[in-house]
């Protein structure tokens, strides 16, 4: 089970990705094909988004999974309003190699999902 502080950090990152796109929870839910309650639940940190929902949120907002999970936008560490890598998860280093790996995983999962 994911610790509460990590769920809250991930929820905050989902909120930030949505805010950066200028869309409401309702619009994100529609784009992701889920109920608005699922988006609100994930953003609140009370629950955690499934991998499938995470990919849908990324597709809808243009975020990468590491943007949501580690709080590091592809534009660089500490993009305006975003915590730097490690602030959400103290002691966790996400270096360039890790980002590349996360991007490969994202593209693999996104392509796998669309070919079902």
């Amino acid at each position: 089970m994911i610790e509460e502080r990590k769920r809250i950090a991930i929820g905050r990152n989902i909120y930030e990705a949505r805010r950066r796109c200028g869309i409401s929870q309702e619009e994100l839910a529609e784009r992701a094909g889920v109920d608005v309650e699922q988006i609100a639940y994930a953003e609140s940190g009370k629950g955690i988004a499934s991998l499938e929902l995470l990919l849908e949120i990324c597709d809808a907002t243009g975020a990468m999974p590491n943007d949501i999970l580690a709080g590091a936008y592809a534009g660089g560490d500490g993009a305006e309003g975003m915590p730097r890598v490690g602030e959400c998860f103290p002691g966790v280093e996400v270096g360039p190699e890790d980002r590349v790996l996360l991007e490969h995983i994202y593209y693999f999962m996104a392509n796998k999902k669309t070919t079902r």
Side-chain angles (χ1 to χ4, degrees):
M1 190 69 167
I2 296 180
E3 296 175 28
E4 181 180 8
R5 69 180 178 83
K6 291 180 182 177
R7 287 193 319 268
I8 291 169
I10 290 169
R12 187 174 52 239
N13 293 336
I14 292 170
Y15 164 79
E16 188 63 28
R18 179 178 61 77
R19 186 191 66 78
R20 286 174 178 260
C21 286
I23 60 176
S24 66
Q25 285 183 339
E26 291 80 10
E27 189 171 350
L28 178 55
E30 184 177 314
R31 290 182 184 187
V34 297
D35 294 327
V36 69
E37 290 80 16
Q38 286 181 272
I39 300 298
Y41 192 66
E43 283 187 5
S44 72
K46 293 178 183 171
I48 191 73
S50 66
L51 178 58
E52 185 175 281
L53 179 54
L54 174 63
L55 293 174
E56 294 294 340
I57 290 169
C58 289
D59 285 344
T61 62
M64 293 296 295
N66 59 312
D67 301 341
I68 304 299
L69 298 174
Y73 271 71
D77 271 3
E80 184 182 334
M82 285 300 297
R84 292 187 179 277
V85 173
E87 286 181 13
C88 292
F89 306 107
V92 176
E93 289 285 327
V94 179
E97 302 86 12
D98 297 324
R99 285 203 178 131
V100 170
L101 177 60
L102 288 168
E103 288 177 12
H104 285 290
I105 291 169
Y106 169 73
Y107 289 119
F108 172 78
M109 293 304 295
N111 290 330
K112 182 178 179 184
K113 180 181 66 108
T114 59
T115 59
R116 282 190 221 171

